[in-house]
C-alpha cells in the first residue's frame, strides 16, 4: 500500500529543469522526467520555471511558496546558475562569489528551518564545443556553489561535470540530439525530451552516490 504521506522532493530551478506541456515539445526539462528514475515511494513537485535566477526565484515568492508546503524530512533540490550569469539582464544577475552565494544560502537555511533537506546541483552543461572539448560556461557559479556546499555542509551533485562527461562520451553529433538545436537549429541551451531524460538519469545517479535516505529509491 502506498505511503499516504510520502517524502516529497521539491525542485527549484530554471528552464533546463522546468516541466513543459505538449505544446512546447520537444522542449523539456529534467524535472519533468525525474520521477521515472525513482520508485513510487517518493513524490516530486517540480517548481522550476524558465528565466529565473537564484535571486528572482526568491523575489517572486517562489521559494516562499515551497517553504510554506515543505515538511520535515522532505527535500529541496536546487539548480540555479544559468540565469544568474546574465550580466545583460541586471534584474536577475548575481555576482558568483557575492549575491549568488547569499541567495543559495537562503534556500538552504529556509529548508533546514523546516527540518527538510537541501541538495545543490551545479548548472547543467550547455552544448558548447570548442577544440574537441565541451566547455563549462559557468565555472565561477559552479565553484561558488561548491564553496557554499562546503561551508554549510550541504550535499551537492556536480551536474555540470556529469553532463559534460556524458556529452563527451556521446560525441558532439550525438549530443546535439539532447538540445533544441536539433529541432530549431539555434538553441544550444534548452534541452529536448531525450536530453531531459538523459540529465534526469544523471541527477538520479548523483543522488544515489550521495548515500542519503532517499538514495535507496533510485531505480
Amino acid at each position: 500500500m502506498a505511503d499516504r504521506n510520502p517524502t516529497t522532493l521539491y525542485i527549484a530551478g530554471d528552464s533546463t529543469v522546468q516541466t513543459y506541456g505538449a505544446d512546447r515539445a520537444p522542449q523539456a526539462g529534467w524535472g519533468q522526467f525525474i520521477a521515472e528514475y525513482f520508485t513510487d515511494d517518493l513524490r516530486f513537485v517540480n517548481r522550476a520555471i524558465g528565466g529565473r535566477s537564484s535571486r528572482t526565484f526568491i523575489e517572486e515568492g517562489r521559494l516562499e511558496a515551497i517553504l510554506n508546503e515543505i515538511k520535515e524530512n522532505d527535500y529541496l533540490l536546487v539548480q540555479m546558475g544559468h540565469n544568474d550569469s546574465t550580466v545583460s539582464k541586471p534584474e536577475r544577475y548575481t555576482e558568483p562569489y557575492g549575491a549568488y552565494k547569499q541567495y543559495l544560502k537562503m534556500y538552504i537555511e529556509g529548508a533546514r528551518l523546516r527540518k527538510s533537506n537541501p541538495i545543490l546541483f551545479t548548472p547543467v552543461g550547455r552544448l558548447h564545443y570548442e577544440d574537441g572539448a565541451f566547455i563549462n560556461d559557468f565555472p565561477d557559479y559552479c565553484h561558488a556553489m561548491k564553496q557554499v556546499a562546503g561551508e554549510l555542509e550541504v550535499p551537492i551533485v556536480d551536474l555540470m561535470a556529469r553532463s559534460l562527461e556524458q556529452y563527451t562520451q556521446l560525441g558532439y553529433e550525438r549530443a546535439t540530439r539532447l538540445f533544441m538545436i536539433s529541432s530549431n537549429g539555434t538553441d544550444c541551451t534548452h534541452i529536448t525530451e531525450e536530453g531531459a531524460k538523459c540529465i534526469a538519469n544523471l541527477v538520479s545517479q548523483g543522488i544515489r552516490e550521495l548515500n542519503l535516505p532517499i538514495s535507496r529509491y533510485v531505480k
Side-chain angles (χ1 to χ4, degrees), residues 11-14 47-49 52-64 66 80 107:
I11 309 174
D14 53 37
R47 296 289 173 79
I49 185 166
R52 272 60 177 188
S53 66
S54 63
R55 170 185 173 181
T56 55
F57 196 90
I58 290 175
E59 289 178 342
E60 293 175 3
R62 297 177 187 278
L63 174 59
E64 182 181 12
I66 292 173
M80 292 288 181
Y107 292 80

Side-chain angles (χ1 to χ4, degrees), residues 19-28 32 193:
T19 297
Y20 294 87
D23 60 313
R24 298 289 297 277
Q27 185 167 336
Q32 192 167 330
E193 292 169 350

Side-chain angles (χ1 to χ4, degrees), residues 52-201:
R52 272 60 177 188
S53 66
S54 63
R55 170 185 173 181
T56 55
F57 196 90
I58 290 175
E59 289 178 342
E60 293 175 3
R62 297 177 187 278
L63 174 59
E64 182 181 12
I66 292 173
L67 297 179
N68 285 340
E69 296 178 22
I70 203 166
K71 65 183 188 299
E72 185 174 352
N73 297 323
D74 282 346
Y75 287 77
L76 175 59
L77 281 51
V78 181
Q79 183 208 284
M80 292 288 181
H82 278 253
N83 297 305
D84 288 79
S85 70
T86 313
V87 179
S88 61
K89 296 189 177 180
E91 68 278 5
R92 65 190 192 189
Y93 172 74
T94 63
E95 195 280 317
Y97 297 105
Y100 178 64
K101 291 181 66 173
Q102 293 307 311
Y103 283 114
L104 288 180
K105 289 176 181 179
M106 292 173 70
Y107 292 80
I108 295 162
E109 291 162 359
R112 286 178 166 171
L113 278 172
R114 289 150 183 85
K115 298 183 180 179
S116 56
N117 308 286
I119 306 176
L120 297 176
F121 295 81
T122 57
V124 65
R126 299 176 66 251
L127 186 71
H128 184 175
Y129 191 72
E130 290 183 20
D131 300 323
F134 290 94
I135 307 298
N136 177 354
D137 287 323
F138 313 104
D140 286 336
Y141 291 88
C142 292
H143 188 238
M145 181 179 277
K146 291 174 185 177
Q147 287 183 341
V148 170
E151 290 163 9
L152 298 186
E153 299 183 341
V154 182
I156 185 169
V157 173
D158 191 349
L159 192 54
M160 175 63 74
R162 287 173 180 268
S163 58
L164 295 184
E165 181 181 2
Q166 181 68 60
Y167 307 159
T168 301
Q169 290 176 2
L170 293 173
Y172 180 79
E173 294 303 322
R174 179 70 179 79
T176 60
R177 289 168 50 181
L178 307 182
F179 289 84
M180 285 296 291
I181 189 174
S182 63
S183 177
N184 60 29
T186 59
D187 190 345
C188 292
T189 298
H190 299 102
I191 53 180
T192 60
E193 292 169 350
E194 181 179 348
K197 290 178 180 179
C198 175
I199 301 304
N201 181 52

